Amino acid sequence: MIILNGGSSSGKTGIVRCLQAVLPEPWLAFGVDSFVDALPARLQESDAGLDIAADGRVSVGADFRALEEAWTEGIVAMARAGARIVVDDVFLGGTASQQRWQKALGDVAALWVGVRCDSAVAAGREIARGDRVRGMAASQADSVHRGVVYDLEVDTSHTESLECALAIAARVGG
């Protein structure tokens, strides 16, 4: 598995697409955005689920965590069954988020990749996307990396997704 962690609008999804194109074997991609989209509507703006404040700060509740754990376990089960998986995630809890993945992974090998992006650059992307609450990118740019240990870090502030993907592919033997 390859697990990418970075704030909103940091460029993770672009890197994942490039990874799928440059790695010689097929890799399945799973992202936290798809998980959030799969949540029932009642959990997409609630204290029990996902709450995005007007300033872009994100908090999650107990129901979100329970479903996230099941989602994580399901992805790891596919890896155990032989699928190559790349995950695009946002570690809102920093170290605690990485520990949740580590617990689920057990003995499944993972390459931990930090996707960094200058907060001003990410904020500009956020505005251009138009599908995020303003402030989310800036609030997550550094906080998602606190206490997280990586095998490799890339910075998309001035580096294209393909170049980042090639650096990651080199670490997995691709």
Side-chain angles (χ1 to χ4, degrees):
M1 284 185 63
I2 302 170
I3 301 176
L4 281 71
N5 172 49
S8 179
S9 300
S10 63
K12 299 178 304 295
T13 303
I15 291 172
V16 169
R17 284 191 208 109
C18 290
L19 274 170
Q20 288 181 302
V22 301
L23 289 166
E25 300 292 331
W27 285 70
L28 296 175
F30 295 96
V32 69
D33 288 344
S34 296
F35 166 70
V36 169
D37 290 344
L39 290 172
R42 71 179 181 276
L43 291 182
Q44 292 194 6
E45 290 186 26
S46 77
D47 290 341
L50 179 72
D51 184 46
I52 302 173
D55 65 358
R57 281 182 281 162
V58 178
S59 59
V60 298
D63 290 345
F64 180 97
R65 284 285 180 231
L67 291 170
E68 179 189 42
E69 181 179 349
W71 177 75
T72 302
E73 292 285 344
I75 290 172
V76 172
M78 287 185 283
R80 285 188 195 290
R84 292 171 192 83
I85 309 248
V86 59
V87 173
D88 155 358
D89 204 347
V90 179
F91 289 2
L92 294 173
T95 303
S97 297
Q98 185 175 37
Q99 289 170 341
R100 282 191 291 276
W101 272 106
Q102 288 168 329
K103 179 183 174 197
L105 285 164
D107 62 353
V108 174
L111 178 71
W112 299 93
V113 180
V115 180
R116 295 196 181 263
C117 184
D118 178 83
S119 63
V121 173
R125 292 176 185 166
E126 177 179 74
I127 291 168
R129 288 174 72 156
D131 66 348
R132 296 288 191 268
V133 174
R134 283 193 186 185
M136 188 182 300
S139 72
Q140 295 175 1
D142 293 320
S143 66
V144 299
H145 299 291
R146 284 194 196 112
V148 179
V149 177
Y150 297 112
D151 299 307
L152 174 68
E153 292 188 46
V154 296
D155 189 324
T156 65
S157 301
H158 305 291
T159 306
E160 293 297 323
S161 296
L162 179 58
E163 188 176 336
C164 294
L166 290 170
I168 296 165
R171 290 296 295 268
V172 294

